[in-house]
Amino acid sequence: MSSIVCLETLDAMMTYRDQLLPGQNVALVPTMGSLHQGHLALVEEAKRLAPEVIVSIFVNPLQFGPHEDFEKYPRDLARDLRLLESYRPLSVFAPSVSEMYPQGPSRTVITLPSMTNVMCGLGRPGHFDGVATVVCKLFNVVRPSVALFGKKDAQQLAIIRQLTRDLNFPVEIVGVPTVREPSGLALSSRNQYLTPVEKDRAAFLYQALLAGQKRFEGGERNAEKLVEEVADVLREHSIEPEYVSLVDANTLVPLEEELGTSRAILALAARIGKARLIDNVVLEP
Ligand code: PAF
C-alpha cells in the first residue's frame, strides 16, 4: 500500500490546489503512467524546482488513433505509486476517463496545424491535438507554475512550449534530457512491447541518429545528406523508418537545404515489432 496522496477527481484536485499557499511554486509532471527512469528523472528535476510536485497519471484516449494501442497501453497505478514513494512529499492526480471527459470526447480541441502536420503528426493524425487539449486541461486544473516534459518527444515539447505562449499560460515549460539504456535505446513505456532481440535492434535507432550528428559535427550542413546518413544506418540494419526528419527546433519547420544558424532537431520514428518508437538528437550550430 502506498501512502502518497492520490487525487482521483477534478474536484479533489482543485480543492487540493486551492489549499496550497498563494504564490507557492507548483511543478506538474504530466504522464500516462507505466513509469520508468525517464519519468523519475522528470520527478527529480521537478523536486529541485518546486516544493510542491504533482504527477498526473492519465492515459488520454484523445491522443490515440482508432487503430492504436489505447486499450493495450500498460497501466499499473499501484506499481506507479510504489515507484513514486521515495519522492514524497508528492501528490498524484489520477483521474478516470469519465472524470476528464464527462461528456465523451472533448468538443473543444486545441490544434497547432503548422506544428502537427509534420513528423509524427503525419502518421498519427489527431495525436497532437489530443496531447495539446489534455495538457491545457491539466494546466487549468492543476495550475502549475512549472511543467516538465521529456526531450525524447521533441515535437510534443515544441508544441507545448508554443501553446503555452499562445494561450498565455503562466507556466514555465522545462524539457528534461532523455534517459537511455546502456545500449543507447531511449526509455519508453512502449519498450515493454519489445522482445530481447527487438530491443537489440531498437538500439540502432539512436546509433543512426548519432551517425547523423557526427556528420553534422564534421561540417556537413546539407539537410538531405544528413537525413540520408541516418536512413543509411537504419537500412543497414533492415529498419524501415516511418520518417527521418530534420526540422527547426522551435518551429518544427522542415529544413530542406543548407542548415542555417538556428538549432535543429534530427528525429525519427520506426516500428520495431509491436512498438512504434521515436527518438531525436539536437544539432547545435
Ligand atoms: O508524454 C506523455 O506521456 C503524454 O503525451 C502527456 C504529455 C502526458 C499527455 O497525455
PDB file of all heavy atoms in Angstrom, residues 51-67:
ATOM      1  N   PRO A  51       8.633  23.250  -4.331  1.00  0.00           N
ATOM      2  CA  PRO A  51       8.377  22.496  -3.099  1.00  0.00           C
ATOM      3  C   PRO A  51       7.156  21.580  -3.223  1.00  0.00           C
ATOM      4  O   PRO A  51       7.025  20.615  -2.491  1.00  0.00           O
ATOM      5  CB  PRO A  51       8.116  23.596  -2.061  1.00  0.00           C
ATOM      6  CG  PRO A  51       7.703  24.791  -2.843  1.00  0.00           C
ATOM      7  CD  PRO A  51       8.356  24.681  -4.189  1.00  0.00           C
ATOM      8  N   GLU A  52       6.265  21.896  -4.176  1.00  0.00           N
ATOM      9  CA  GLU A  52       5.042  21.100  -4.340  1.00  0.00           C
ATOM     10  C   GLU A  52       5.089  20.439  -5.718  1.00  0.00           C
ATOM     11  O   GLU A  52       5.150  21.139  -6.731  1.00  0.00           O
ATOM     12  CB  GLU A  52       3.820  22.035  -4.238  1.00  0.00           C
ATOM     13  CG  GLU A  52       2.498  21.350  -4.373  1.00  0.00           C
ATOM     14  CD  GLU A  52       2.129  20.462  -3.181  1.00  0.00           C
ATOM     15  OE1 GLU A  52       2.456  20.819  -2.029  1.00  0.00           O
ATOM     16  OE2 GLU A  52       1.520  19.409  -3.419  1.00  0.00           O
ATOM     17  N   VAL A  53       5.086  19.108  -5.731  1.00  0.00           N
ATOM     18  CA  VAL A  53       5.156  18.397  -7.012  1.00  0.00           C
ATOM     19  C   VAL A  53       3.906  17.543  -7.188  1.00  0.00           C
ATOM     20  O   VAL A  53       3.503  16.810  -6.286  1.00  0.00           O
ATOM     21  CB  VAL A  53       6.428  17.510  -7.083  1.00  0.00           C
ATOM     22  CG1 VAL A  53       6.423  16.648  -8.344  1.00  0.00           C
ATOM     23  CG2 VAL A  53       7.681  18.376  -7.044  1.00  0.00           C
ATOM     24  N   ILE A  54       3.276  17.682  -8.350  1.00  0.00           N
ATOM     25  CA  ILE A  54       2.091  16.889  -8.662  1.00  0.00           C
ATOM     26  C   ILE A  54       2.386  16.090  -9.935  1.00  0.00           C
ATOM     27  O   ILE A  54       2.767  16.664 -10.965  1.00  0.00           O
ATOM     28  CB  ILE A  54       0.854  17.803  -8.855  1.00  0.00           C
ATOM     29  CG1 ILE A  54       0.572  18.522  -7.525  1.00  0.00           C
ATOM     30  CG2 ILE A  54      -0.365  16.996  -9.317  1.00  0.00           C
ATOM     31  CD1 ILE A  54      -0.455  19.612  -7.575  1.00  0.00           C
ATOM     32  N   VAL A  55       2.245  14.774  -9.834  1.00  0.00           N
ATOM     33  CA  VAL A  55       2.447  13.909 -11.001  1.00  0.00           C
ATOM     34  C   VAL A  55       1.064  13.498 -11.487  1.00  0.00           C
ATOM     35  O   VAL A  55       0.279  12.947 -10.706  1.00  0.00           O
ATOM     36  CB  VAL A  55       3.254  12.644 -10.619  1.00  0.00           C
ATOM     37  CG1 VAL A  55       3.398  11.704 -11.819  1.00  0.00           C
ATOM     38  CG2 VAL A  55       4.630  13.021 -10.078  1.00  0.00           C
ATOM     39  N   SER A  56       0.739  13.799 -12.745  1.00  0.00           N
ATOM     40  CA  SER A  56      -0.552  13.328 -13.245  1.00  0.00           C
ATOM     41  C   SER A  56      -0.335  12.016 -13.993  1.00  0.00           C
ATOM     42  O   SER A  56       0.674  11.835 -14.691  1.00  0.00           O
ATOM     43  CB  SER A  56      -1.235  14.372 -14.129  1.00  0.00           C
ATOM     44  OG  SER A  56      -0.487  14.573 -15.301  1.00  0.00           O
ATOM     45  N   ILE A  57      -1.262  11.106 -13.774  1.00  0.00           N
ATOM     46  CA  ILE A  57      -1.209   9.785 -14.424  1.00  0.00           C
ATOM     47  C   ILE A  57      -2.551   9.597 -15.116  1.00  0.00           C
ATOM     48  O   ILE A  57      -3.580   9.419 -14.464  1.00  0.00           O
ATOM     49  CB  ILE A  57      -0.961   8.667 -13.379  1.00  0.00           C
ATOM     50  CG1 ILE A  57       0.398   8.877 -12.701  1.00  0.00           C
ATOM     51  CG2 ILE A  57      -1.048   7.288 -14.047  1.00  0.00           C
ATOM     52  CD1 ILE A  57       0.791   7.819 -11.689  1.00  0.00           C
ATOM     53  N   PHE A  58      -2.527   9.712 -16.428  1.00  0.00           N
ATOM     54  CA  PHE A  58      -3.788   9.628 -17.168  1.00  0.00           C
ATOM     55  C   PHE A  58      -3.500   9.167 -18.597  1.00  0.00           C
ATOM     56  O   PHE A  58      -2.782   9.852 -19.333  1.00  0.00           O
ATOM     57  CB  PHE A  58      -4.478  11.004 -17.184  1.00  0.00           C
ATOM     58  CG  PHE A  58      -5.764  11.015 -17.965  1.00  0.00           C
ATOM     59  CD1 PHE A  58      -6.840  10.223 -17.580  1.00  0.00           C
ATOM     60  CD2 PHE A  58      -5.903  11.820 -19.089  1.00  0.00           C
ATOM     61  CE1 PHE A  58      -8.032  10.216 -18.305  1.00  0.00           C
ATOM     62  CE2 PHE A  58      -7.090  11.822 -19.820  1.00  0.00           C
ATOM     63  CZ  PHE A  58      -8.154  11.019 -19.423  1.00  0.00           C
ATOM     64  N   VAL A  59      -4.017   8.006 -18.949  1.00  0.00           N
ATOM     65  CA  VAL A  59      -3.862   7.526 -20.327  1.00  0.00           C
ATOM     66  C   VAL A  59      -4.980   8.198 -21.121  1.00  0.00           C
ATOM     67  O   VAL A  59      -6.156   7.871 -20.971  1.00  0.00           O
ATOM     68  CB  VAL A  59      -3.941   5.980 -20.406  1.00  0.00           C
ATOM     69  CG1 VAL A  59      -3.673   5.515 -21.831  1.00  0.00           C
ATOM     70  CG2 VAL A  59      -2.933   5.336 -19.448  1.00  0.00           C
ATOM     71  N   ASN A  60      -4.570   9.158 -21.926  1.00  0.00           N
ATOM     72  CA  ASN A  60      -5.505  10.099 -22.558  1.00  0.00           C
ATOM     73  C   ASN A  60      -6.055   9.539 -23.877  1.00  0.00           C
ATOM     74  O   ASN A  60      -5.341   9.520 -24.880  1.00  0.00           O
ATOM     75  CB  ASN A  60      -4.728  11.405 -22.813  1.00  0.00           C
ATOM     76  CG  ASN A  60      -5.517  12.405 -23.614  1.00  0.00           C
ATOM     77  OD1 ASN A  60      -6.733  12.498 -23.471  1.00  0.00           O
ATOM     78  ND2 ASN A  60      -4.817  13.165 -24.459  1.00  0.00           N
ATOM     79  N   PRO A  61      -7.327   9.105 -23.895  1.00  0.00           N
ATOM     80  CA  PRO A  61      -7.845   8.469 -25.116  1.00  0.00           C
ATOM     81  C   PRO A  61      -7.800   9.393 -26.327  1.00  0.00           C
ATOM     82  O   PRO A  61      -7.677   8.937 -27.459  1.00  0.00           O
ATOM     83  CB  PRO A  61      -9.294   8.113 -24.759  1.00  0.00           C
ATOM     84  CG  PRO A  61      -9.622   8.922 -23.557  1.00  0.00           C
ATOM     85  CD  PRO A  61      -8.342   9.222 -22.849  1.00  0.00           C
ATOM     86  N   LEU A  62      -7.869  10.709 -26.072  1.00  0.00           N
ATOM     87  CA  LEU A  62      -7.933  11.679 -27.163  1.00  0.00           C
ATOM     88  C   LEU A  62      -6.672  11.683 -28.040  1.00  0.00           C
ATOM     89  O   LEU A  62      -6.715  12.152 -29.181  1.00  0.00           O
ATOM     90  CB  LEU A  62      -8.120  13.070 -26.548  1.00  0.00           C
ATOM     91  CG  LEU A  62      -9.007  14.063 -27.267  1.00  0.00           C
ATOM     92  CD1 LEU A  62     -10.414  13.516 -27.363  1.00  0.00           C
ATOM     93  CD2 LEU A  62      -9.010  15.405 -26.527  1.00  0.00           C
ATOM     94  N   GLN A  63      -5.569  11.172 -27.514  1.00  0.00           N
ATOM     95  CA  GLN A  63      -4.336  11.229 -28.303  1.00  0.00           C
ATOM     96  C   GLN A  63      -3.991   9.899 -28.977  1.00  0.00           C
ATOM     97  O   GLN A  63      -2.900   9.746 -29.516  1.00  0.00           O
ATOM     98  CB  GLN A  63      -3.172  11.734 -27.441  1.00  0.00           C
ATOM     99  CG  GLN A  63      -2.707  10.814 -26.335  1.00  0.00           C
ATOM    100  CD  GLN A  63      -1.705  11.506 -25.431  1.00  0.00           C
ATOM    101  OE1 GLN A  63      -2.052  12.360 -24.628  1.00  0.00           O
ATOM    102  NE2 GLN A  63      -0.429  11.138 -25.538  1.00  0.00           N
ATOM    103  N   PHE A  64      -4.935   8.943 -28.920  1.00  0.00           N
ATOM    104  CA  PHE A  64      -4.719   7.649 -29.574  1.00  0.00           C
ATOM    105  C   PHE A  64      -5.621   7.565 -30.798  1.00  0.00           C
ATOM    106  O   PHE A  64      -6.815   7.910 -30.728  1.00  0.00           O
ATOM    107  CB  PHE A  64      -5.087   6.498 -28.637  1.00  0.00           C
ATOM    108  CG  PHE A  64      -4.094   6.288 -27.516  1.00  0.00           C
ATOM    109  CD1 PHE A  64      -4.115   7.096 -26.393  1.00  0.00           C
ATOM    110  CD2 PHE A  64      -3.142   5.265 -27.588  1.00  0.00           C
ATOM    111  CE1 PHE A  64      -3.202   6.911 -25.354  1.00  0.00           C
ATOM    112  CE2 PHE A  64      -2.237   5.071 -26.562  1.00  0.00           C
ATOM    113  CZ  PHE A  64      -2.266   5.892 -25.441  1.00  0.00           C
ATOM    114  N   GLY A  65      -5.065   7.096 -31.911  1.00  0.00           N
ATOM    115  CA  GLY A  65      -5.873   6.881 -33.112  1.00  0.00           C
ATOM    116  C   GLY A  65      -6.711   5.624 -32.941  1.00  0.00           C
ATOM    117  O   GLY A  65      -6.467   4.819 -32.037  1.00  0.00           O
ATOM    118  N   PRO A  66      -7.701   5.438 -33.854  1.00  0.00           N
ATOM    119  CA  PRO A  66      -8.617   4.296 -33.722  1.00  0.00           C
ATOM    120  C   PRO A  66      -7.908   2.935 -33.761  1.00  0.00           C
ATOM    121  O   PRO A  66      -8.384   1.976 -33.172  1.00  0.00           O
ATOM    122  CB  PRO A  66      -9.575   4.448 -34.913  1.00  0.00           C
ATOM    123  CG  PRO A  66      -9.057   5.584 -35.731  1.00  0.00           C
ATOM    124  CD  PRO A  66      -8.038   6.330 -34.949  1.00  0.00           C
ATOM    125  N   HIS A  67      -6.750   2.850 -34.456  1.00  0.00           N
ATOM    126  CA  HIS A  67      -6.078   1.549 -34.537  1.00  0.00           C
ATOM    127  C   HIS A  67      -4.822   1.523 -33.680  1.00  0.00           C
ATOM    128  O   HIS A  67      -3.937   0.697 -33.891  1.00  0.00           O
ATOM    129  CB  HIS A  67      -5.748   1.210 -35.993  1.00  0.00           C
ATOM    130  CG  HIS A  67      -6.968   1.258 -36.863  1.00  0.00           C
ATOM    131  ND1 HIS A  67      -8.021   0.387 -36.689  1.00  0.00           N
ATOM    132  CD2 HIS A  67      -7.335   2.114 -37.849  1.00  0.00           C
ATOM    133  CE1 HIS A  67      -8.974   0.692 -37.554  1.00  0.00           C
ATOM    134  NE2 HIS A  67      -8.584   1.749 -38.260  1.00  0.00           N
TER     135      HIS A  67
END
